[in-house]
Amino acid sequence: MPMCGIVGYAGTRPALGIVLDGLRRLEYRGYDSAGVAIVDGAELVACKRAGKLTNLEKAVADLAAGGADLAAGAVDRAGGGDRAGGGDRAGGGLATGTTGIGHTRWATHGGPTDRNAHPHRSADGRVAVIHNGIIENFAALQAELEAAGVELASETDSECAAHLLAAELAALEEGAPDQAIAVSGVPSSGAALAEAMRRVCRRLAGAFTLLAVDTAAPGVVVGARRDSPLVVGRGEGENYLASDVAAFIAHTREAVELGQDQVVTITADRIQVTDFAGNPTTGREYHVDWDASAAEKGGYDYFMLKEIAEQPRAVADTLRGRFTEAGGIALDEVRLTGQDLRNVDKIFIVACGTAYHSGLVAKYAIEHWTRIPCEVELASEFRYRDPVLDRSTLVVAISQSGETMDTLMALRHAREQKARVLAICNTNGSTIPRESDAVLYTHAGPEIAVASTKAFLTQLVACYLVGLHLAQVRGVKFADEVAAVVAQLEAMPGKVAAVLETMEPVRALGRELAAARSVLFVGRHVGYPVALEGALKLKELAYMHAEGFAAGELKHGPIALIEEGTPVVCVVPSPAGRGVLHDKLGSNLQEVRARGARTIVIAEEGDDAVVPYADHLVRVPATPTLLAPLLTAVPLQVLACEIAVARGHDVDQPRNLAKSVTVE
Ligand code: M6R
C-alpha cells in the first residue's frame, strides 16, 4: 500500500476516538479503505471497511451500539480462525481500549476491499499490523508462509508482516520471560514485539512504515520505518505515532523525527528508539509551529477553498525573516556556505507535479538573475537518465510533503554523484530535507487538499529567494538591484489578496464551463508553466481533458484541437516587461479566436490591447514579469475548483490520487 495514512496511540484515554480523529486528518493521504485495531487488556478488536472513512466510522458506531450480532458483521473475520478477536465483547473492547492503530489506504496491491483493508492480523489473531509502502520481496515471503501452513486472508503485500511478526514472537517466547509475564496478567514492556519487529524489518525489501500491536503487550505500539514517513508525537502521559503531525496536532505539538531504518516503541510514558540492529538511538525533537485549527476546514466547504484563501498569508510567512535590513537576502537556515554557492556552475531542479511547475518558473528567474545554467527535470526522469553531475552542481529538490519517492530517489542519486542538494520543502521532519545538504522551508502551513495551491505559491517564493541569494552571494547583482526585487516580493501578499477579491466572475465562468469537453491553456515565458499548472489542476479535480501549451507551439500541432467554442485560457505576459512577449501572445490569441476558440484571458490591469480578443477577461494587478505567476496561477486554481464542484466532485479527494506519493 503505497500512500497511506497511519496513526498509533498509547495512553490512558480510549484510543478509538483519537485514532479515528487522526485518520480523519490523514484521509487526504489515501481514501479507498480504512481500518482500526484496538487493544483492550488481552483482547484485540479490529474493524475495517472499503470506501471512505465514513464507512469505517459507521461500522464502528454500529458495532459499539449493536453488540455481538453487529460485531460479527463489522469486525474483520477475513481468513477465518480467531482473527476477528473480541468475541461478544467486540464493541466494548473497541470503545474502552487505550492502545490502538489506524490506517487509511490508497490501494495498489489488491483492490480496495474489506479484506485488503488494514489492519492485517496474524493467523493466531494476537498481532495486528498496518503498513504504508511496498514490501518488494513479499512473493517470496508469502511462499515461505504458505509452505509453513499459514493461510493468507488478503491479496496484499502487507499481510505477510503480521504473520512474520507472530512467528518471530513465538520464537522469542520460547526463552523470553517478557511475554510470559504478560500472559500472567502484567503488561509486557513490548520488548519482544520490538525485537520481533527488528527481525522482520531486516528481512523486508522495499519501502515501509509498519505499526504493530500485540495482545501480549497491551499499552504498547511498535513502529518501524524505511523510506516511508513516520513521526512520533510526545504527549503528557500518552504518545502517538503517525505518518504526519496533522494526525496528533490536536493533542500535542511536540514531535520526534525518526531516522531511516529505525524501530520505535511507544507506551503511555515512554518513547524508545533503536536501529534495526537493536542499538539505542534518539530522534530529533521539534516543536510544530502550527496548531490544530490550521488543519481544519475553518468554515469552508473544502480544504482547497481554504488553502486558496490562505495564500496571501502563506506567501507572507514564507518571505518573513528572509531579508536583511539593507534589503538583501538572509537565508541563515540554508546550510551551504558562501564558498559552496560560489562554486556552483550548474543547477538542476528536480520535482514532480505542481512542484515541478514551480521549478519551471524558477528557471526563468534563476538564469536571469544568476547567469548559471539551470535545468528543470521531472524527478522520475532525472533519476534514471544518467545526468551529468559533479561537486559543483547544485540540485534543488522541491517537495511540499518532503516524502515524494521520485524526488527522494533523484536527490539520493544526485548526492551519490557528489552534487550538493538543497531541498525546498513544506514539511518539517520529513525525509527529503533530512537527506539534503541544506533546506529552505516554505511556511504554507498544512496543505490537506490533494490539489496543491498554497504550496505552489510558496515554492515559487522560495525559488525566487534562492535565485536572489545566489545572485547576491556571487556578486552578479548589485545590492540595490536585489533590494528592488525584495521590495517587489514584499508587495506580493497584498496583490495575491487583491486577486482573490475579484474571483466571483471566475467562479461564474467555472459553472458555465462545467459541461465543456476539453480546455486548453497557453502561455509564454513564465506564463507557460502557469498554463501547465492550470491544466493539471483541471485534470486532477474535474477529470476533464486539459492541456497546457507554450503558446508559440500552438501552430506546430495543438491548434488542430480547436473547435468552435473550445475554451482556451491565455496567460498574457505584462506589456511592461518584454513587450515582444506580450505582442506575440496577442497574435496567438487572435489565431485561436479566428478558429472558433472561446478565449479566457488573464491579463494585467491596464493592458487594453487584449480586450478585443478576450471573450472573458480576468484582471490581475500589474507585476514584474518574473513574479507574475504568483498572481496568474490563482484564477486558474479557482476556475478548476469551481468546475469540479459544478461537476459534483469531491475536490479535496479526487479519484485515484493521494496527497503524498511515497512510491516510485
Ligand atoms: O509533495 P510534493 O510536492 O513532492 O508532491 C508532488 C506532486 O505529487 C504534487 O504536486 C501533485 O502534482 C499535486 N497533487 C498537484 O496538485
Side-chain angles (χ1 to χ4, degrees):
M1 311 324 105
M3 302 172 279
C4 310
I6 275 185
V7 190
Y9 172 77
T12 51
R13 294 188 284 160
L16 180 64
I18 294 168
V19 170
L20 285 174
D21 185 55
L23 290 181
R24 209 168 297 120
R25 293 171 190 276
L26 294 185
E27 205 184 7
Y28 66 92
R29 299 180 75 95
Y31 34 82
D32 55 35
S33 58
V36 292
I38 304 294
V39 183
D40 185 33
E43 190 175 68
L44 195 164
V45 189
C47 184
K48 52 195 197 171
R49 277 291 178 272
K52 292 206 174 186
L53 187 59
T54 45
N55 292 2
L56 174 69
E57 288 171 329
K58 185 170 179 317
V60 165
D62 287 350
L63 183 57
D69 290 345
L70 274 168
V75 175
D76 167 32
R77 292 185 184 276
D82 189 30
R83 289 188 213 184
D88 61 3
R89 283 200 62 243
L94 266 182
T96 53
T98 57
T99 310
I101 56 177
H103 187 268
T104 172
R105 178 177 187 237
W106 189 92
T108 57
H109 251 106
T113 61
D114 286 358
R115 279 159 64 89
N116 291 334
H118 297 212
H120 294 288
R121 309 277 301 263
S122 56
D124 60 8
R126 71 176 277 186
V127 171
V129 166
I130 54 179
H131 168 226
N132 175 25
I134 286 184
I135 298 173
E136 286 168 2
N137 56 339
F138 83 101
L141 296 170
Q142 278 182 357
E144 177 189 313
L145 288 164
E146 278 167 349
V150 176
E151 201 185 317
L152 293 164
S154 75
E155 304 150 288
T156 67
D157 55 334
S158 314
E159 187 190 342
C160 65
H163 301 299
L164 291 172
L165 268 176
E168 293 292 355
L169 280 168
L172 281 164
E173 269 171 16
E174 284 183 11
D178 185 46
Q179 298 300 309
I181 294 170
V183 172
S184 70
V186 180
S188 137
S189 66
L193 184 61
E195 176 54 19
M197 180 67 93
R198 285 188 284 270
R199 291 183 182 191
V200 171
C201 288
R202 293 200 292 264
R203 300 197 59 202
L204 302 181
F208 50 85
T209 302
L210 290 165
L211 294 194
V213 287
D214 174 10
T215 52
V220 177
V221 181
V222 170
R225 74 169 290 265
R226 167 183 286 163
D227 286 341
S228 185
L230 181 63
V231 58
V232 185
R234 186 188 285 286
E236 303 256 331
E238 55 188 16
N239 290 305
Y240 305 81
L241 293 171
S243 309
D244 79 47
V245 296
F248 54 70
I249 194 72
H251 309 288
T252 178
R253 291 168 70 178
E254 305 311 314
V256 185
E257 176 184 308
L258 292 176
Q260 190 63 309
D261 285 8
Q262 292 187 344
V263 167
V264 58
T265 304
I266 62 162
T267 64
D269 51 16
R270 184 165 51 94
I271 298 168
Q272 225 165 22
V273 186
T274 71
D275 62 19
F276 282 178
N279 302 307
T281 177
T282 49
R284 182 181 71 91
E285 308 255 351
Y286 65 98
H287 179 76
V288 182
D289 60 7
W290 46 270
D291 63 17
S293 66
E296 304 281 356
K297 283 188 195 155
Y300 289 87
D301 288 342
Y302 293 101
F303 278 110
M304 185 178 176
L305 291 172
K306 176 180 174 235
E307 289 161 8
I308 288 173
E310 284 172 345
Q311 292 185 112
R313 203 181 79 198
V315 169
D317 287 350
T318 303
L319 288 170
R320 186 167 302 116
R322 264 76 191 250
F323 304 129
T324 64
E325 274 185 17
I329 305 287
L331 299 185
D332 298 335
E333 77 231 62
V334 172
R335 305 178 301 265
L336 288 172
T337 65
Q339 195 51 50
D340 288 334
L341 297 176
R342 280 188 285 278
N343 287 344
V344 171
D345 63 9
K346 183 165 54 173
I347 298 172
F348 275 107
I349 299 179
V350 292
C352 305
T354 290
Y356 168 70
H357 296 155
S358 74
L360 289 175
V361 173
K363 173 183 167 74
Y364 292 88
I366 290 176
E367 290 194 336
H368 184 69
W369 289 333
T370 69
R371 311 309 299 154
I372 308 172
C374 176
E375 299 302 325
V376 190
E377 207 160 335
L378 290 167
S380 53
E381 288 297 313
F382 176 87
R383 168 67 185 84
Y384 297 103
R385 184 181 63 80
D386 199 12
V388 181
L389 307 165
D390 59 30
R391 279 172 204 289
S392 24
T393 310
L394 178 68
V395 171
V396 180
I398 308 176
S399 175
Q400 186 284 131
S401 62
E403 301 292 349
T404 299
M405 188 57 81
D406 289 314
T407 310
L408 178 62
M409 288 302 161
L411 84 81
R412 284 186 184 164
H413 185 63
R415 292 194 78 199
E416 278 161 16
Q417 328 272 313
K418 309 285 181 240
R420 313 305 298 270
V421 177
L422 167 65
I424 290 177
C425 185
N426 195 43
T427 312
N428 203 327
S430 59
T431 310
I432 287 173
R434 196 168 50 237
E435 295 203 15
S436 299
D437 296 293
V439 58
L440 183 63
Y441 281 108
T442 50
H443 294 296
E447 190 179 68
I448 309 286
V450 164
S452 194
T453 54
K454 61 178 179 171
F456 178 62
L457 261 58
T458 60
Q459 286 160 352
L460 293 176
V461 168
C463 288
Y464 295 136
L465 291 173
V466 169
L468 286 176
H469 187 56
L470 276 166
Q472 177 179 276
V473 169
R474 296 163 68 92
V476 291
K477 277 230 168 285
F478 296 125
D480 58 342
E481 293 173 315
V482 173
V485 185
V486 165
Q488 292 160 1
L489 277 171
E490 286 183 315
M492 294 314 293
K495 291 186 183 183
V496 177
V499 172
L500 286 170
E501 275 163 24
T502 60
M503 285 297 96
E504 202 39 57
V506 175
R507 286 190 199 100
L509 177 62
R511 293 189 286 277
E512 266 181 54
L513 293 183
R517 261 193 329 137
S518 164
V519 180
L520 305 183
F521 294 76
V522 299
R524 278 178 179 263
H525 195 262
V526 289
Y528 167 42
V530 172
L532 294 177
E533 175 62 6
L536 174 61
K537 289 282 96 79
L538 196 55
K539 279 184 249 204
E540 71 178 325
L541 294 173
Y543 321 151
M544 270 164 89
H545 173 248
E547 296 276 346
F549 299 107
E553 273 295 294
L554 276 178
K555 56 190 169 300
H556 299 288
I559 201 164
L561 289 168
I562 292 174
E563 298 171 345
E564 194 58 38
T566 302
V568 179
V569 179
C570 308
V571 184
V572 179
S574 165
R578 291 184 67 193
V580 63
L581 275 178
H582 175 266
D583 297 349
K584 294 276 178 222
L585 204 117
S587 308
N588 301 138
L589 200 49
Q590 294 178 47
E591 287 157 13
V592 293
R593 206 149 179 275
R595 286 158 180 83
R598 176 178 182 183
T599 55
I600 299 138
V601 175
I602 319 287
E604 194 169 290
E605 277 156 12
D607 178 0
D608 293 332
V610 293
V611 174
Y613 312 109
D615 294 311
H616 304 270
L617 188 55
V618 181
R619 292 293 193 187
V620 294
T623 294
T625 301
L626 287 169
L627 307 190
L630 286 168
L631 305 183
T632 51
V634 175
L636 306 194
Q637 299 165 346
V638 173
L639 186 70
C641 184
E642 197 65 34
I643 294 177
V645 171
R647 287 165 76 101
H649 301 319
D650 178 345
V651 293
D652 284 342
Q653 298 180 346
R655 70 183 180 199
N656 305 337
L657 291 171
K659 184 70 177 165
S660 291
V661 185
T662 53
V663 287
E664 281 185 271

